[in-house]
Amino acid sequence: MIKVAGMYKCYKDVDVLKGIDFEVRKGEVVVVIGPSGSGKSTMLRCLNRLEEPSRGSVFIEGTDITNPKTNINHVRAEVGMVFQSFNLFPNLTVLENITLGPVQIRRENKLSAMKNAENLLEKVGLSDKRDVYPGSLSGGQMQRVAIARALAMKPKIMLFDEPTSALDPEMVQEVLQVMRTLANEGMTMVVVTHEMGFARDVADRVVFMDGGRIVEEGIAEQIFRAPIHDRTKAFLEKVR
Ligand code: ADP
Ligand code: MG
C-alpha cells in the first residue's frame, strides 16, 4: 500500500528526514515511535503530500505521489489523516463536518453522504451528537468525530499523528478503542503514538525513529522486549 524509498526532507539548511525507506502492506498496522523532533510528523505528512519530500519517492498503491502529474486531491482522499489537534470546523455541526469532504471533494450525493456519516457516528459511539457543534464536545469526542470525518472519504490508508496526545487521560482509551476496531476491520494504518500499550496490542510492526532516520523496526514484542540499538533502549526506558 505504501512504499517509501530514499526519502529526504530538508528545510533550508536543516535535514529533517535523512533517507527513509519504509513499506506498509495492505491491512498492516505500523506504529511509529521516537523522541520529539525525530521527524515522525514530517514523515507522516510526506505520505499524503502535506509536505513535499526534497528527495526520494513515495508510492501509494503503486502511484508515485511525488510525481507532479499525480492528482494530489485523489491521493488525499485515499489517505486519511487524523491530527493531534482535531482540526474540526467549529462553525459546522458534527454531521456537516463529516459530510463536507464527501459532498465537496468526492461529489457524493448529499443524502448518501448523510447516511454514511450517521453510520460512522454510530461506529465511533456519537450518534447523539450529530447536530451539535464541536465546541460542545469533549476532546475525546472531537477526536472520534475527526476519525469519522476522515473515514467518510473512504480512505484506503489512515495516518494518525499522536491522536491522543492532546487528550485528558480519561479520554485516551475511547479514542484508542475506535482505532483498535478499525485495525481489526483490516484498515491499513500508520500511527505515531506514545501509547505503548496500544503499540503492543495492535501494531503488526513498530518503527523507531531518531534524528530523521529509521533506527530500528520489528514486531512490537521484539522491539519492546529486546531492542537492538542503544538509542531504542534509552527511548523505551524513558517512555515505559
Ligand atoms: P516529531 O514529529 O518526531 O516531533 P517533526 O517531524 O515535527 O518531529 O520535526 C522534526 C524536525 O523538523 C524538528 O527539528 C523540527 O523543528 C523540524 N521542522 C519541522 N517542520 C519544520 C518547518 N516547517 N521548518 C523548519 N523546520 C521544521
Ligand atoms: Mg510530531
Side-chain angles (χ1 to χ4, degrees), residues 219-233:
I219 60 169
E221 207 275 326
Q222 170 227 315
I223 295 254
F224 290 130
R225 188 178 43 80
I228 295 166
H229 290 270
D230 289 342
R231 279 190 286 172
T232 318
K233 271 179 218 164

Side-chain angles (χ1 to χ4, degrees), residues 9-12 14-17 32-45 51 84 161-162 192 194 209-212:
K9 178 66 185 175
C10 319
Y11 294 106
K12 296 208 178 87
V14 193
D15 290 349
V16 174
L17 299 178
V32 180
I33 60 173
S36 177
S38 57
K40 305 181 299 295
S41 294
T42 306
M43 186 195 58
L44 218 56
R45 294 164 66 85
E51 299 280 358
Q84 184 175 331
D161 193 358
E162 300 201 31
V192 175
H194 298 294
M209 284 184 70
D210 195 14

Side-chain angles (χ1 to χ4, degrees), residues 54-65:
S54 309
R55 209 146 38 95
S57 48
V58 178
F59 294 90
I60 302 290
E61 278 204 307
T63 301
D64 184 356
I65 65 164

Side-chain angles (χ1 to χ4, degrees), residues 76-93:
R76 296 228 177 100
E78 307 273 285
V79 185
M81 185 147 182
V82 173
F83 304 88
Q84 184 175 331
S85 54
F86 327 129
N87 299 346
L88 297 175
F89 303 109
N91 55 328
L92 300 181
T93 66

